Amino acid sequence: MEIVLGVFLSLLAGVVPTTIYAAVIWWFDRYEKEPLWLLTVAFLWGAVPAILLSLIVELILGVPVSVLGEGLWAEVVESGGVAPVIEEIVKAVALLGLFVFLRREFDNILDGIIYGALVGFGFAMTENILYFLSSLFTKGWGEWSVVVFLRAVVFGLNHAFFTSLTGAALGFARLSRAAWEKWLVPPLGLGLAIAFHAIHNIG
């Protein structure tokens, strides 16, 4: 019974805050609402395929990193280097797809921020649920409460913020008339997303 309760509360703690955050972001897009189905696609990309791809690639890359041992250096390389790069690139794939194939729905910086945030919220929701379950079943309810508060409240907007940087850069590129800006700004936006993600993980 306790396991069922733990799973239910973990799902609730992952879904409810994310729904509130996503609704707030959607509200900000008041003047030219993006299609709800497209926002849902962006969210679901972050929640399922992006998580699965990230886990697979991080496991593969974790093998050579394991050569460093299990000390602080290996942890810094994995959490501050491997994870941010892989996760932000995988999340950016959805934004790039929208940018290339649905040009009419991705035409400015705000659109990029909205789509990026939705991808990030989807990713964060699934990742949080996995962390909640792990903390509960390994360390109990006390640790679970701390992890829920930190990941769902204190750092609840992090993934959305990281990925919205990539989205904003793509939106800027859409508006720009200079060819060099179209090619240079999106990688810079992705680089910023990775950098902030790494700083958070290492900190």
Side-chain angles (χ1 to χ4, degrees), residues 45 49-51 53-54 57 85-94 123:
W45 171 267
I51 285 284
L53 288 172
S54 294
V57 177
V85 172
I86 297 305
E87 291 175 12
E88 292 310 319
I89 288 176
V90 169
K91 287 188 288 180
V93 168
F123 191 96

Side-chain angles (χ1 to χ4, degrees), residues 16 34 98 110 133 175 203:
V16 172
E34 303 308 311
L98 294 174
L110 180 59
L133 292 172
L175 295 173

Side-chain angles (χ1 to χ4, degrees), residues 36-115:
L36 191 57
W37 71 269
L38 202 50
L39 295 174
T40 303
V41 167
F43 181 87
L44 291 177
W45 171 267
V48 183
I51 285 284
L52 293 176
L53 288 172
S54 294
L55 287 174
I56 292 170
V57 177
E58 286 175 35
L59 284 173
I60 293 172
L61 294 181
V63 174
V65 172
S66 65
V67 174
L68 299 173
E70 297 183 356
L72 178 62
W73 178 240
E75 185 177 341
V76 168
V77 170
E78 185 170 356
S79 64
V82 174
V85 172
I86 297 305
E87 291 175 12
E88 292 310 319
I89 288 176
V90 169
K91 287 188 288 180
V93 168
L95 298 179
L96 185 60
L98 294 174
F99 181 81
V100 173
F101 298 110
L102 293 165
R103 298 175 62 88
R104 292 183 179 179
E105 303 298 345
F106 196 136
D107 51 15
N108 57 49
I109 294 173
L110 180 59
D111 288 355
I113 292 173
I114 297 294
Y115 287 122

Side-chain angles (χ1 to χ4, degrees), residues 2-199:
E2 186 175 354
I3 293 177
V4 175
L5 178 62
V7 172
F8 173 74
L9 291 179
S10 295
L11 289 171
L12 205 62
V15 172
V16 172
T18 302
T19 302
I20 294 171
Y21 297 148
V24 171
I25 287 292
W26 182 77
W27 177 83
F28 274 113
D29 189 23
R30 288 180 291 175
Y31 302 109
E32 187 187 344
K33 288 288 188 186
E34 303 308 311
L36 191 57
W37 71 269
L38 202 50
L39 295 174
T40 303
V41 167
F43 181 87
L44 291 177
W45 171 267
V48 183
I51 285 284
L52 293 176
L53 288 172
S54 294
L55 287 174
I56 292 170
V57 177
E58 286 175 35
L59 284 173
I60 293 172
L61 294 181
V63 174
V65 172
S66 65
V67 174
L68 299 173
E70 297 183 356
L72 178 62
W73 178 240
E75 185 177 341
V76 168
V77 170
E78 185 170 356
S79 64
V82 174
V85 172
I86 297 305
E87 291 175 12
E88 292 310 319
I89 288 176
V90 169
K91 287 188 288 180
V93 168
L95 298 179
L96 185 60
L98 294 174
F99 181 81
V100 173
F101 298 110
L102 293 165
R103 298 175 62 88
R104 292 183 179 179
E105 303 298 345
F106 196 136
D107 51 15
N108 57 49
I109 294 173
L110 180 59
D111 288 355
I113 292 173
I114 297 294
Y115 287 122
L118 264 296
V119 173
F121 282 136
F123 191 96
M125 182 188 71
T126 303
E127 186 180 61
N128 284 350
I129 291 171
L130 294 176
Y131 271 96
F132 298 161
L133 292 172
S134 175
S135 64
L136 177 62
F137 295 140
T138 58
K139 298 184 179 180
W141 287 103
E143 180 72 12
W144 180 88
S145 301
V146 173
V147 172
V148 167
F149 177 71
L150 289 176
R151 294 192 65 91
V153 180
V154 178
F155 303 121
L157 301 177
N158 277 20
H159 272 290
F161 168 66
F162 303 149
T163 315
S164 69
L165 293 172
T166 304
L170 287 168
F172 179 88
R174 175 72 76 212
L175 295 173
S176 176
R177 295 182 179 181
W180 68 271
E181 290 181 341
K182 291 181 179 292
W183 289 102
L184 181 62
V185 172
L188 286 178
L190 177 60
L192 280 175
I194 292 170
F196 278 109
H197 194 155
I199 291 169

